[in-house]
Amino acid sequence: MEIVVTGPSGKLGGALVRLWQGEHIVHGLGREVLDLGKPNELARALENYSFDAIVNGAAMANPEHCENNPEEARRVNTESPAALARICGERGARLVHFSTDYVLDGSREGLKDEEAPVHPLNEYGRSKLAGENLVLEEHAESIVCRVSWIFGTEPGGFLESFLARAGRGEELQAVEDKFSKPTCVTEIARVVLALLERGDLKGLFHLTHEGAPESWWSYASKVLGFAHALGLLEELKEVRRQKMADAARLQVARPIHTAMDPARLRAELGGGGGSWQEAARARVQELLE
Ligand SMILES: NC(=O)c1ccc[n+]([C@@H]2O[C@H](COP(=O)([O-])OP(=O)(O)OC[C@H]3O[C@@H](n4cnc5c(N)ncnc54)[C@H](OP(=O)(O)O)[C@@H]3O)[C@@H](O)[C@H]2O)c1
């Protein structure tokens, strides 16, 4: 397959380029070629490339930045994904667009499947939800994958930065009253290829592992346990519990219960991705090596 991946300097886009290179023809196109702040220029920028699919890893993914720059968030997270969908439609290609669990209504406990109500609480979530809808309107053959708490990337996600802090001997604390599901980037890479290989699949998918919701605190505590057991950390440190309202870095409102159920993936692809815990242990082992 010939695939354009946007956002190759980002966590998800960068990992997809690394994981797919060699097996596929991958064009990682950064903002110097494809500026998602300029939706009207994307078609021309893509004229020189052939592709079977565009995988849109680029986004304004920081809620605080989106809240302070809503127009830019709309261009990058809504209008440009819609333009990419239109371009894919015109060129007979598929679009895989990534969205977020922040579009979900997080007011009730439990896992959320693709039918669960949406109710974004911030500009990031609103711009991403509008992006999902426009992408599917512009090119109904598109695939929208909502993802959450990605690890296994370079630069790292929460798992990697938490282990780094533990390794430096810093005091450790994590939020105990917000819940989602960690997701390994290798699982995202595997599932996206599987979806692209199935020409009949389109629309919205919750792309995460099977399993129960975790809080940032339970996630952090389990990862430290894996790292200690595998010998990456000599000492098993305790993680102090923090309330989301007391976390100064989280200035913008965030949904509470957004752990996703990969219900459609289970039905269409039969699951097979394993638990996040197995993937996290493998990631710790990789960091050890
Ligand atoms: N990481 C997570 O845990 C997580 C959770 C839920 C959903 N997601 C979703 O997953 C996707 C990828 O997120 P991520 O964590 O990989 O984000 P990230 O690490 O912040 O990377 C964002 C990427 O988008 C690029 N970008 C931003 N503005 C751009 C513009 N105007 N033109 C072109 N490129 C631009 C960045 O390029 P520069 O380096 O040039 O800025 C970077 O390559 C997003 O759709 C996000 O909503 C991620």
Side-chain angles (χ1 to χ4, degrees):
M1 230 179 321
E2 189 165 6
I3 309 172
V4 163
V5 177
T6 68
S9 58
K11 292 189 277 297
L12 177 54
L16 294 179
V17 171
R18 277 194 299 281
L19 290 165
W20 290 342
Q21 247 164 10
E23 198 184 333
H24 298 276
I25 302 167
V26 182
H27 308 286
L29 302 184
R31 73 164 74 214
E32 62 291 349
V33 178
L34 275 187
D35 184 351
L36 269 60
K38 298 175 180 163
N40 296 332
E41 296 181 14
L42 298 177
R44 177 168 302 196
L46 282 163
E47 270 172 5
N48 295 331
Y49 296 89
S50 61
F51 48 86
D52 304 301
I54 297 179
V55 175
N56 183 27
M60 254 172 81
N62 179 294
E64 277 69 27
H65 188 61
C66 290
E67 207 70 15
N68 295 328
N69 302 278
E71 283 171 22
E72 189 189 355
R74 187 164 172 88
R75 284 197 300 277
V76 176
N77 291 344
T78 308
E79 292 170 19
S80 281
L84 292 177
R86 196 159 49 244
I87 293 162
C88 284
E90 286 163 4
R91 296 190 48 179
R94 312 277 300 281
L95 175 68
V96 177
H97 175 63
F98 292 105
S99 188
T100 165
D101 55 331
Y102 277 36
V103 303
L104 292 165
D105 180 334
S107 60
R108 282 172 297 109
E109 285 181 24
L111 295 173
K112 311 288 181 312
D113 67 14
E114 289 84 356
E115 305 297 323
V118 289
H119 180 214
L121 299 182
N122 54 41
E123 283 300 326
Y124 169 57
R126 281 189 285 275
S127 64
K128 294 294 288 185
L129 180 61
E132 291 183 359
N133 291 334
L134 277 186
V135 158
L136 295 175
E137 236 172 73
E138 289 287 351
H139 184 34
E141 305 302 309
S142 301
I143 293 167
V144 174
C145 295
R146 291 183 183 148
V147 294
S148 61
W149 289 0
I150 302 172
F151 66 90
T153 61
E154 184 64 50
F158 179 84
L159 177 150
E160 289 84 3
S161 56
F162 208 82
L163 286 178
R165 278 162 53 199
R168 290 194 297 268
E170 291 178 18
E171 195 197 330
L172 300 173
Q173 56 180 5
V175 167
E176 65 168 355
D177 56 352
K178 172 170 170 48
F179 304 85
S180 187
K181 196 96 76 72
T183 311
C184 186
V185 77
T186 53
E187 173 65 356
I188 298 177
R190 179 189 78 83
V191 167
V192 167
L193 287 183
L195 290 172
L196 283 174
E197 275 156 18
R198 282 273 304 270
D200 59 321
L201 296 180
K202 54 190 178 181
L204 178 64
F205 290 86
H206 283 184
L207 201 178
T208 183
H209 300 267
E210 299 287 352
E214 301 286 348
S215 70
W216 264 321
W217 179 84
S218 65
Y219 177 23
S221 302
K222 288 175 185 177
V223 164
L224 286 192
F226 302 152
H228 179 61
L230 290 166
L232 186 67
L233 290 177
E234 277 178 22
E235 194 191 337
L236 183 54
K237 305 201 177 169
E238 199 175 321
V239 184
R240 201 156 62 80
R241 294 167 183 265
Q242 187 182 33
K243 296 287 180 203
M244 184 154 61
D246 298 330
R249 69 189 171 84
L250 308 179
Q251 290 159 14
V252 166
R254 283 158 163 81
I256 295 175
H257 299 285
T258 59
M260 295 186 288
D261 180 17
R264 267 198 85 198
L265 288 179
R266 193 185 309 122
E268 302 284 8
L269 299 181
S275 69
W276 77 262
Q277 289 93 334
E278 287 167 52
R281 276 195 208 94
R283 176 59 170 156
V284 170
Q285 189 66 45
E286 195 176 76
L287 293 172
L288 191 63
E289 284 158 12

